[in-house]
Structures are given as structure tokens and as C-alpha cells.
Amino acid sequence: MAEDLQIIQGSKAEQYEALIPQIKGLLEGETDLVANLANTAAALKEQFGWFWVGFYLVKQDELVLGPFQGPVACTRIRKGRGVCGSSWSGATTLIVPDVEKFPGHIACSSLSKSEIVVPLFKAGEVVGVLDVDSDTYNSFDETDQHYLEQIVALLNC
Ligand code: SME
């Protein structure tokens, strides 16, 4: 496993292309899910500098806060609630250019302005979500969706 992350400049796609092999290296040989979620959140935060990057995991009928990087956050989110709970119930990635315009958005921080949430699947079921928040509007697009979906597929949920 690489000890230091190599941070690169460039387009968003170039940054993801350089980051993904490094995330694969971090995950290689490690089977513990929490360890892998923690390093993935750290790698994304380090490369992109987003405001908040982290995971929520499905536990019974709620999402419960998992490994993350950034300010303290809400610990429990019900299915269908907020962006995370909606991504879970719809089993789909959600891109939110302006969180204030998303009905039911859960404001863990007033500094968060845009967000992308990507579900994690195990045997076809959503078992958690990756949530990324930015402190500027319109930070996420289909490029993020494409690469973040690739990244969560590497996690052995
Ligand atoms: N904004 C999210 C809640 C999680 S925090 O942003 C970390 C939502 O609406 O689901």
C-alpha cells in the first residue's frame, strides 16, 4: 500500500484518473470495511479539498454516520429523508447543485451549498451511501457521478 497520496493538478477527470489507482492500492489486501471507507474518504478529501466527504451505512431502518472527513455531522438519517435518504430509497445517485432547492435537504452545516450522494450496493441492495458536500454551488456533475460510482464499486461492502 502506498504511504502517501500523490495529489495531482488538472481537470476533474484527470484528478480522478490519477486518484483511482491510488485508492485501489489503499484497498488492496484490506478486508475491513471501516478501514477502507476511512481511507477512501480521506483520499477524496485530500485530492479535491471538498468541505465534507463521508459515508452513511444502513443499519435497520436508518442511515448511520460512518467514516468521514470534515466537520461533525448528523448521525442518523431516515429512509427517504434528505439527499442521503432519498438516494437510499431511490437506489440512485443524486446531484444537488443548490441544497436549498432540494426539498427536505438536511443541513448538517449551513456552509454546505451543493452535494452529490452515491449509493453503495451489496447483492443489489443499498447498504450505505457516499455523501460529498461542497461549500460552493454547482460543484458536482456527471463526471463526478461517473468516477464516484466507480470508486464505490471498488469497496467490498
Ligand atoms: N445533507 C445531507 C445530510 C448529510 S450531511 O450533509 C453530512 C442530506 O440532506 O441527506
Side-chain angles (χ1 to χ4, degrees), residues 55 80-81 155:
F55 293 91
R81 296 291 175 88
L155 296 161

Side-chain angles (χ1 to χ4, degrees), residues 1-126:
M1 171 192 128
E3 285 184 14
D4 291 310
L5 200 70
Q6 207 185 335
I7 304 303
I8 73 126
Q9 310 292 319
S11 71
K12 200 182 256 187
E14 286 166 343
Q15 293 183 63
Y16 279 113
E17 293 284 353
L19 185 62
I20 286 175
Q22 298 188 76
I23 291 180
K24 282 185 183 159
L26 290 166
L27 302 179
E28 209 171 61
E30 179 52 69
T31 56
D32 186 89
L33 182 60
V34 169
N36 287 336
L37 297 179
N39 261 343
T40 301
L44 287 167
K45 172 88 168 150
E46 218 180 322
Q47 174 64 50
F48 291 101
W50 289 313
F51 178 67
W52 197 92
V53 182
F55 293 91
Y56 283 88
L57 298 174
V58 173
K59 298 201 174 163
Q60 284 91 46
D61 57 348
E62 288 178 313
L63 286 168
V64 180
L65 183 63
F68 71 95
Q69 295 271 316
V72 295
C74 326
T75 55
R76 288 173 188 268
I77 298 172
R78 277 193 264 150
K79 197 170 188 176
R81 296 291 175 88
V83 188
C84 292
S86 302
S87 171
W88 175 18
S89 59
T92 190
T93 295
L94 292 177
I95 296 170
V96 181
D98 177 350
V99 294
E100 281 141 43
K101 294 192 176 137
F102 187 93
H105 168 256
I106 300 164
C108 291
S109 165
S110 60
L111 295 175
S112 175
K113 302 294 184 214
S114 59
E115 182 164 358
I116 183 169
V117 179
V118 181
L120 315 181
F121 291 96
K122 180 181 188 174
E125 293 288 307
V126 177

